[in-house]
Amino acid sequence: FTSKGSAKQEPPMHAAQIEEVLRSCDYAPDARARVSADVVNLHRQVPTLLVKREEYFSDDGTTTHVVCLNGTLPAVYKGNLYHLPVCIYLPVQYPAVPPLCYVRPTESMTITPRHPCVDSNGVVSLLVLSSWNPSTSLESVAATLTNEFEKLPPVHARPRTPNTQPQTPPSGSYFSPPTVSHGKVSLLTCLIHAVKN
């Protein structure tokens, strides 16, 4: 269903490493302190979310460099701890606009169909985001994600596909087709060959 138990634990990032990532992003100087405080606090609370710089492509065609918190969010479902793959982007207008939250399933996972707050593309829709208040912290957003995902996880294990390799039938119990000459075999030829065998 989802990755269970302990997630691959990366060493926590130091504030200086986070600041280095922020310096390479396109945030306005007056917003940088808030972005830094929110990212450091969230990473301290959830060290499985790694801080990275990512290119963000806006609908208007512009490209900006923003912070992406990428990793897993721990959640308890039916008494088991799961690590749910998420990405949280902070647009350059943050905190005036909400963060953009996505569920990013691994190859062995699929998004839960008809999830109440995650669409089929992994886009997260929550009241805390749609009625965004700039004073809301990233920690509150992460706590809301965790609360919702503990009600119903947004991902589950992808169904295993049956082995599609052809199985060799037992010797002597199958029909061996006649040799094809000139790319054509008639039904009559197949029947004659079947009767002979």
Side-chain angles (χ1 to χ4, degrees), residues 142-157:
T144 303
L145 284 169
T146 299
N147 289 337
E148 290 300 320
F149 294 168
E150 287 180 340
K151 294 175 191 172
L152 178 65
V155 292
H156 60 275

Side-chain angles (χ1 to χ4, degrees), residues 4-132:
K4 203 171 168 181
S6 62
K8 180 183 171 193
Q9 197 69 341
E10 298 284 340
M13 296 178 75
H14 298 289
Q17 292 171 299
I18 294 172
E19 287 301 321
E20 186 178 325
V21 171
L22 283 171
R23 277 194 297 276
S24 67
C25 293
D26 297 328
Y27 297 103
D30 57 333
R32 193 176 301 264
R34 167 66 189 277
V35 171
S36 176
D38 278 5
V39 169
V40 167
N41 290 337
L42 180 58
H43 181 68
R44 192 175 296 135
Q45 180 185 344
V46 187
T48 53
L49 290 175
L50 300 180
V51 181
K52 299 180 177 188
R53 180 188 87 155
E54 294 279 338
E55 284 188 330
Y56 181 74
F57 303 93
S58 300
D59 291 337
D60 66 3
T62 59
T63 303
T64 54
H65 294 99
V66 299
V67 166
C68 174
L69 293 130
N70 188 11
T72 61
L73 195 60
V76 176
Y77 179 68
K78 293 187 177 182
N80 293 307
L81 175 64
Y82 294 94
H83 299 276
L84 305 171
V86 297
C87 293
I88 302 172
Y89 289 89
L90 303 183
V92 290
Q93 303 88 349
Y94 181 86
V97 300
L100 304 170
C101 303
Y102 299 90
V103 171
R104 293 290 180 230
T106 64
E107 287 182 18
S108 64
M109 299 176 185
T110 186
I111 293 178
T112 301
R114 295 173 299 286
H115 193 278
C117 35
V118 179
D119 74 11
S120 61
N121 295 317
V123 177
V124 176
S125 300
L126 294 169
L127 186 59
V128 70
L129 300 172
S130 62
S131 60
W132 180 249

